């Protein structure tokens, strides 16, 4: 490599002396600025040879290898002179080189180990992980192949086959450059080089990637994004590989990919001054007139394209370019531009020098470069060269490259008499706002939020930063704020802060359920506004801008801008707060103060705010009385958040825009939950303290929301969001024991005072694992101490919510045991998991999102806690429906189910008044209560008429036996829960038995001598295909052996060689327990099993699979040796072992 020149050394000194000017030439006649090289190549899974690299990349960064008189005229951008190159220096070395490559893994295909690695791993090259760990971080998407692939592949240094590629590219670029960023995501690779003399004023942030391959998991398609800051100029680079294929379907998929990647990388094109997007975008030649027009046959398109290419009719080629159409229709990358087609297509070519097409595929310009300048100052990115590389011979794509020039900023001369700029924005109006689809709400409640970048430019008052925003306009996509002025006072005394300053105007959707979401963003060039203001005393103008989200136009903003100077004060003086819109934080803080001081108005205010919040959650009005009662009795909430390293595991889910389940890490799912409840605390004035279990590497470990009269709640909510989204779990332990011990010591001192006021505190523990001991590992001793602490807390005015972030059976079994034994302790899963639990026991109920969030918040207790533990009886259903739809102690109430017809008629009217809820189990919107399923399960026999008999779960005889056993004593309820339902072990469902008569005996039951075929229910070949009427088998005669009982339960007659379907085994499991099974001695443990109704397993596909998995897990937890009592007899132990073996045997082929 060549040594540094004297010119470069001199440039380094100049760059250090002036960070805002980047000197590129020694010639005084040339313009100064950054020269940027962008290169993109789909390598076709082949390692490029040195000749191909030399034809594509500038050797040792020398710009005259790219810009020289030999360049073809078609490669020179329109308006640029090949003789002068717009007065840009064509000597020396390029300042910034960005290289993106796709299909970069040499020799890979999906059937090889290298191909599997490339598809499923997405790892920063600097993070040298083993292949096993790389797969583990992705949630083990290919478990079956994982072991075999791991044996074939060693360390990450060998994974992906890009080691030699990196060496060749780095060597070609030369030693005068520093690789500021390198990232590999599957088969996509991105390298960013900066000339050595500029590294001292350069930095890289936001290096991240997003997959959009199959299921948004495979990394064969997606993008890599990064932001480079040179001095005060921010540049973003987005290297992409979009979906392939010809036709309208694939065209729309590419547009969707583009938005998905920009959203997944947090839109790097908005927060910078200049942006570049490049890669194998896969946009094709298409004869379709529009995305809605008819699609011509592919053969016709191929013939037309071949004719155009042979004739070099590039004007016609431009008309049929899909990328050009998408830009014109503003479906992608609004504001970006690309070079018009003036050269041959880049795909699909033969792998040799020159351009020779394989016409089996339609030739297209799939490899492209786009750019955009957000700045309004007199400088923008200037394209000088844009061309494909015909001499690149090792791929079926021809790479593209571009050279761009970014001139330095014009000098900025500040006036010492003008140091404070008053900026007023007013008369806001938004039109045609288009929110992202939402699984729960369609109403748009809009407000505008304003942020300065950098924030130090805004003068502060009382050491608090004002954050401007408007009030909320409800239920319209064309909101306006005629009187909503927002004012800023800006410090204009420092050039360093003014350079590159922006004002962001964000249109937000005020959503109490999922949290406030971004509708779109407008960026105003604050530096340009300041420059324009320097020569005048004041000025006014009208602003008209498009809101952008994920690169798309999602609405329009109109407003006025007034500018004037304040000459009487200096920036160091404290300005008086300008009159305008009151910030949301101060409004809420003042309300919080008045709530504390004016206790007489507390009930009225809490009812008002909670009522509004319940409406946002789409909850029935009747449940408000229960929520308000729990709200008033709760003094404060304490959240302990597990931030151990296991929270990185990707086995949780969030709900996407189109109702799909998006696989995320445990920490991401929990972060969404915590951010929601922090906003809920602020909106409803619920004092809450959030604490991380482990000390974070940076930031606070404890943060409060609404805990004092002077709380700036919006700032506190922002702090929670920042900590949860920026924090990364790193510590390996789960110190639950230490946390709960400290909490117990603190709350014990306040217990008597809380009890005297009839108050309690709510403790929410969010965890994925069992408590760890002093050694940092989970063990039995730590679990026992933790259990003892929880039992001790149950005697204090404390309600405990254990929020699980795991599906681990051992962890779930341990915490569920606590939840089932203590009335003031509840163990819940995430929304999806809890929905399955509720459906297993009460399939007539839709477990809505709002209900789940209120249980997490500790605002719903009693019967709501029993929904995921057992089937409610008729008295409890009546009590639940009354409190849910009508309200506690309200009249007229709901008729009792004893009058079944009146009860169902009244309940039907109540259900019809409510909005449909998204049902995670059914994957569609359903009513709160499925009336037909409720009637099928509970309708008394005398009201059935000729209707079919309900599906019964085999519980009646068992419950009758349980009523004769001595009830197990449990800790009593707190005073706050008087009148609410008790646990099943304390209360027997006697009245339920009065309305749940067993179905009349069939002929086979009355005649034991009947043929086996008459005694058995209908058989099915598919073990997951449900019978129309699953009913339990008849208990065997007394004279049969225990082996006969088990065989009758597990296998199908008459030969008893084939297992019953898994759902049948789960439903009829209680027939193997005493007293139905008289061959086994009674034991109290049998009564702890909650029977599963046959109504549960009537679905198909993913719904049925999910329910079967969840029900099987419950059986395993119940039968687990660690869970079983120690005083079992030999017969009882044999029974549990036999059931365990049968369930496992049936599970294997059913749930593959």
């Amino acid at each position: 490599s060549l040594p540094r020149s004297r010119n470069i050394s001199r440039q380094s000194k100049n760059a250090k002396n002036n960070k805002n000017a980047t000197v590129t030439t020694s010639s005084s006649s040339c313009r100064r600025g950054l020269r940027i090289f962008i290169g993109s190549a789909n390598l076709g899974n082949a390692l490029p040879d040195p000749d191909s690299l030399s034809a594509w990349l500038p050797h040792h960064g020398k710009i005259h290898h790219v810009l020289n008189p030999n360049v073809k005229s078609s490669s020179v951008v329109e308006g640029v002179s090949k003789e002068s190159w717009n007065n840009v220096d064509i000597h020396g070395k390029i300042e910034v080189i960005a290289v993106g490559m796709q299909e970069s893994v040499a020799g890979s295909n999906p059937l090889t180990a290298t191909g599997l690695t490339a598809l499923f791993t997405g790892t920063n090259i600097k993070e040298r992980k083993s292949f096993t760990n790389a797969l583990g971080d992705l949630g083990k998407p290919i478990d079956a192949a994982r072991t075999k692939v791991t044996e074939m592949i060693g360390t990450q240094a060998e994974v992906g086959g890009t080691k030699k590629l990196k060496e060749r590219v780095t060597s070609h670029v030369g030693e005068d450059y520093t690789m500021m960023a390198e990232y590999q995501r599957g088969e996509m690779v991105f390298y960013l080089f900066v000339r050595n003399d500029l590294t001292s004023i350069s930095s890289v942030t936001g290096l991240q990637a997003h997959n959009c391959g199959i299921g948004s998991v495979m990394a064969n398609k997606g993008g890599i994004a990064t932001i480079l800051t040179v001095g005060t100029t921010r540049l973003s680079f987005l290297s992409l590989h979009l979906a392939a294929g010809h036709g309208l379907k694939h065209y729309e998929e590419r547009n969707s990919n583009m938005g998905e990647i920009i959203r997944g990388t947090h839109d790097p094109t908005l927060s910078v001054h200049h942006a570049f997007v490049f890669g194998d975008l896969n946009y094709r030649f298409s004869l379709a007139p529009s995305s809605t027009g008819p699609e011509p046959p592919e053969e016709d398109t191929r013939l037309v394209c071949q004719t155009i290419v042979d004739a070099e009719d590039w004007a016609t080629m431009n008309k049929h370019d899909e990328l050009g159409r998408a830009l014109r229709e503003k479906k992608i990358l609004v504001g970006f531009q690309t070079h018009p087609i003036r050269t041959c297509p880049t795909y699909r070519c033969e792998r040799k020098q020159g351009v020779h097409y394989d016409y089996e595929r339609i030739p297209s310009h799939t490899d492209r470069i786009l750019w955009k300048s957000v700045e309004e100052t007199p400088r923008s990115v200037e394209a000088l060269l844009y061309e494909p590389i015909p001499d690149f011979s090792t791929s079926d794509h021809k790479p593209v490259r571009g050279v761009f020039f970014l001139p330095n900023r014009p000098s900025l001369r500040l006036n010492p008499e003008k140091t404070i700029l008053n900026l007023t924005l007013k008369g806001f109006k938004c039109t045609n706002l288009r929110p992202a689809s939402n699984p729960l709400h369609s109403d748009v409640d809009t407000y505008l939020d304003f942020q300065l970048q950098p924030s130090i430019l805004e003068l502060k008052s009382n050491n608090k930063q004002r954050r401007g925003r408007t009030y909320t306009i409800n239920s319209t996509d064309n909101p306006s704020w005629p009187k909503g002025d927002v004012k800023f006072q800006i410090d204009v005394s420092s050039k360093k802060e003014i350079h590159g300053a922006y004002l962001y105007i964000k249109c937000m959707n005020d959503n109490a359920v999922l949290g406030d979401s971004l509708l779109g963003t407008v960026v105003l060039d604050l530096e340009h506004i300041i420059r324009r203001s320097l020569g005048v005393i004041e000025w006014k103008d009208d602003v008209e801008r498009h809101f952008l989200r994920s690169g798309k136009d999602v609405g329009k903003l109109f407003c006025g801008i007034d500018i004037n100077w304040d000459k009487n004060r200096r920036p160091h003086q404290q300005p008086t707060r300008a009159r305008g819109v009151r910030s949301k934080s101060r409004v809420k803080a003042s309300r919080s103060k008045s709530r504390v001081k004016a206790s007489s108005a507390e009930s009225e205010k809490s009812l008002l705010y909670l009522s509004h919040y319940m409406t946002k959650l789409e909850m029935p009005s009747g449940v408000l009385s229960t929520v308000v009662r729990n709200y008033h009795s709760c003094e404060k909430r304490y959240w302990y958040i597990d931030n151990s390293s296991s929270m990185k595991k990707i086995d949780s889910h969030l709900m996407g825009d189109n109702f799909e389940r998006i696989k995320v890490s445990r920490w991401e799912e929990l972060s969404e939950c915590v951010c929601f409840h922090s906003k809920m605390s602020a909106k409803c004035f619920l004092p809450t303290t959030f604490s991380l279990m482990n000390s974070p590497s940076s930031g606070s470990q404890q943060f409060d929301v609404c805990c004092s009269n002077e709380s700036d709640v919006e700032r506190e909510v922002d702090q929670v969001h920042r900590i949860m989204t920026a924090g990364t779990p790193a510590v390996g332990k789960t110190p639950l024991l230490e946390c709960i011990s400290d909490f117990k010591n603190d709350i014990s001192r306040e217990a008597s005072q809380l009890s005297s006021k009839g108050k309690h505190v709510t403790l929410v523990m969010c965890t994925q694992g069992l408590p760890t001991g002093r050694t940092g590992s989970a063990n039995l001793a730590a679990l026992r101490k933790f259990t003892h602490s929880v039992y001790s807390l149950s005697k204090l005015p404390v309600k405990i919510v254990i929020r699980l972030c795991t599906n681990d059976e051992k962890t779930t079994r341990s915490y569920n045991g606590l939840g089932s034994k203590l009335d003031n302790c509840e163990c819940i899963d995430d929304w999806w998991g809890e929905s399955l639990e509720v459906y297993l026991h009460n399939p007539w109920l839709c477990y809505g999102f709002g209900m789940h969030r209120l249980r997490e918040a500790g605002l719903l207790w009693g019967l709501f806690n029993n929904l995921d533990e057992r089937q409610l009886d008729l008295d409890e259903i009546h009590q639940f429906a009354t409190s849910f739809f009508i309200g506690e102690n309200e009249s007229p109430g709901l008729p009792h189910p004893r009058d079944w017809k009146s009860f169902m008629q009244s309940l039907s009217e109540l259900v019809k008044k409510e909005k449909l809820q998204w049902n995670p189990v059914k994957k569609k919107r359903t009513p709160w209560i499925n009336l037909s399923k409720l009637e099928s399960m509970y309708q008394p026999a005398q009201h059935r008429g000729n209707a079919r008999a309900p599906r019964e779960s085999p519980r009646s005889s068992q419950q009758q036996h349980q009523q004769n056993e001595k009830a197990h004593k449990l800790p009593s309820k707190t005073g706050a829960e008087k009148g609410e339902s008790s646990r099943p072990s304390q209360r027997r469902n006697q009245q339920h038995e009065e309305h749940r008569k067993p179905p009349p005996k069939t002929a086979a039951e009355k005649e034991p001598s009947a043929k086996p075929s008459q005694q058995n229910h209908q058989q099915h070949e598919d073990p997951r295909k449900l019978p129309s009427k699953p009913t339990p088998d008849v208990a065997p005669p007394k004279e049969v052996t225990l082996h006969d009982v088990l065989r009758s339960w597990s296998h199908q007659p008459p030969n008893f060689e084939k297992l019953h379907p898994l759902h049948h085994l789960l439903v009829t499991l209680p027939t193997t327990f005493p007293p139905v099974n008289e061959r086994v001695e009674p034991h109290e443990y049998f009564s702890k099993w909650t029977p599963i109704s046959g109504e549960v397993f009537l679905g198909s596909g993913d719904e049925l699979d999910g329910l079967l998995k969840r029900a099987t897990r419950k059986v395993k937890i119940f039968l687990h040796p660690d869970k079983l009592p120690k005083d079992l007899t030999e017969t009882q132990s044999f029974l549990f072992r036999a059931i365990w073996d049968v369930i496992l045997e049936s599970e294997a082929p059913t749930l593959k």
Side-chain angles (χ1 to χ4, degrees), residues 873-911:
D873 62 34
L874 282 177
D875 279 345
E876 291 170 327
I877 290 176
H878 176 255
Q879 181 184 347
F880 171 84
T882 301
S883 62
F884 195 63
F885 293 109
I886 299 176
E888 296 178 351
N889 303 320
E890 296 289 336
S891 59
L894 191 66
H896 195 275
R898 281 188 291 267
D899 185 356
W900 183 259
K901 186 176 180 180
S902 299
F903 169 72
M904 291 299 295
Q905 183 176 357
S906 300
L907 183 60
S908 175
E909 294 175 356
L910 293 172
V911 170

Side-chain angles (χ1 to χ4, degrees), residues 256-303:
S256 176
N257 285 171
M258 185 76 76
E260 181 184 343
I261 294 170
I262 293 176
R263 182 171 61 253
T265 54
H266 307 293
D267 202 343
T269 66
L270 276 181
S271 58
V272 297
H273 304 109
H274 312 277
F276 298 91
V277 176
F278 50 95
D280 180 6
L281 307 187
N282 261 317
Y283 283 100
R284 306 302 176 97
F285 175 89
S286 174
L287 295 179
S290 67
S291 57
T292 58
E295 187 173 358
E298 185 173 344
E299 183 61 30
D300 292 352
T301 303
R302 181 181 294 105
L303 293 175

Side-chain angles (χ1 to χ4, degrees), residues 216-235:
S216 295
V217 172
M218 288 190 178
N220 58 323
K221 298 294 188 293
I224 302 172
T226 190
I227 295 175
L228 171 68
T229 301
V230 182
T232 57
T233 299
R234 295 189 300 276
L235 309 170

Side-chain angles (χ1 to χ4, degrees), residues 63-206:
I63 193 169
H64 68 268
H65 285 182
V66 184
L67 301 183
N68 55 64
N70 298 324
V71 174
K72 295 181 179 179
S73 299
S74 59
S75 301
V76 180
V77 175
E78 186 176 354
V80 176
S81 169
K82 191 165 58 171
E83 287 73 26
S84 65
W85 293 106
N86 280 17
N87 217 20
V88 174
D89 185 15
I90 60 171
H91 301 91
K93 296 178 182 291
I94 298 170
E95 282 72 32
V96 178
I97 298 176
V99 180
M101 292 169 283
Q102 308 83 41
E103 296 184 15
S104 59
V105 181
S108 75
N109 66 71
L111 300 180
T112 66
T114 307
L116 288 171
T117 304
L119 287 175
F120 288 104
T121 60
T123 309
N124 190 332
I125 295 176
K126 291 184 178 180
E127 299 176 2
R128 299 297 184 181
K129 296 182 178 180
S130 68
F131 177 60
T132 302
N133 292 335
L135 285 180
D137 287 344
L138 287 175
K140 304 177 185 178
I142 49 171
D143 287 334
R146 184 169 180 248
T147 302
K148 185 174 181 180
V149 174
T150 306
E151 294 173 355
M152 292 188 289
I153 300 178
T155 63
Q156 175 65 21
E158 300 171 354
V159 170
T162 59
K163 183 178 180 181
K164 291 183 178 180
L165 175 64
K166 176 185 173 182
E167 292 174 352
R168 288 193 180 183
V169 173
T170 304
S171 175
H172 189 82
V173 171
E175 294 182 353
D176 287 329
Y177 289 86
T178 298
M179 183 180 284
M180 299 290 292
E182 54 171 329
Y183 202 99
Q184 179 179 354
R185 174 58 66 96
E187 295 195 64
M188 299 177 292
V189 175
F190 173 75
Y191 301 139
L192 179 63
F193 300 91
V194 173
R195 206 174 61 196
N196 289 337
D197 60 301
L198 298 178
T199 54
S200 61
I201 59 171
S202 302
S203 61
V204 168
T205 57

Side-chain angles (χ1 to χ4, degrees), residues 566-740:
D566 191 337
K567 298 182 180 180
N568 299 324
R569 289 182 288 105
R570 295 294 181 185
H572 64 271
Q573 295 176 296
Q574 292 295 337
T576 304
R577 179 176 295 276
R579 296 181 62 188
V581 180
R582 294 179 69 193
S583 70
K584 193 174 183 179
S585 60
R586 288 196 169 272
V587 172
K588 291 185 176 179
S590 63
R591 289 176 178 172
S592 179
K593 182 187 296 186
S594 64
R595 183 175 75 88
V596 175
K597 291 184 176 180
S599 58
S600 61
E602 185 181 71
S603 177
E604 180 180 352
K605 288 192 173 184
S606 62
L607 180 63
L608 174 63
Y609 297 122
L610 285 172
S611 177
H612 174 74
Y613 205 72
M614 294 301 101
T615 301
K616 288 290 185 180
L617 288 170
E618 294 188 349
M619 295 294 289
S621 58
V623 80
L624 179 62
S625 58
T626 301
V627 172
V628 169
R629 175 168 53 81
N630 286 305
Y631 171 82
H632 286 323
S633 64
C634 181
E635 184 74 7
K636 189 177 179 180
R637 299 189 306 170
Y638 296 87
W639 281 63
Y640 286 96
I641 302 166
D642 188 348
N643 60 334
S644 61
S645 57
S646 297
M647 293 295 291
K648 294 181 180 179
K649 188 173 182 180
I650 303 179
D651 60 357
S652 295
H653 297 87
L654 289 175
M655 190 69 74
D657 292 339
N658 298 316
F659 315 114
E660 74 278 11
R661 292 172 65 205
I662 302 175
K663 199 167 187 178
V664 297
S665 68
R666 297 172 179 177
W667 181 255
E668 289 175 299
E669 190 275 326
L670 181 58
S671 296
E672 190 269 344
C673 171
V674 171
C675 290
F676 171 89
H677 285 286
S678 68
K679 293 177 182 179
M680 181 179 182
S681 299
K683 290 178 181 292
C684 298
F685 309 135
L686 288 168
T688 306
T689 295
F690 298 92
S691 300
L692 300 176
M693 293 185 188
N694 299 290
S695 298
S697 56
S698 61
S700 303
Q701 184 174 359
Q702 179 175 304
F703 30 97
D704 298 331
V705 175
C706 202
C707 289
S708 67
N709 293 347
E710 299 296 334
S711 291
D712 186 347
V713 290
E714 184 165 339
R715 179 186 59 79
E716 292 172 341
V717 169
D718 287 343
Q719 181 188 23
V720 174
H721 180 78
R722 184 171 61 255
I723 292 174
M724 295 302 297
T725 54
T728 302
V731 183
K733 61 180 182 177
T734 306
L736 261 177
L737 183 58
E738 301 172 18
C739 295
I740 199 171

Side-chain angles (χ1 to χ4, degrees), residues 38-51:
I38 305 291
S40 175
N42 184 317
L43 302 183
N45 298 119
L47 184 66
D49 56 39
D51 291 339

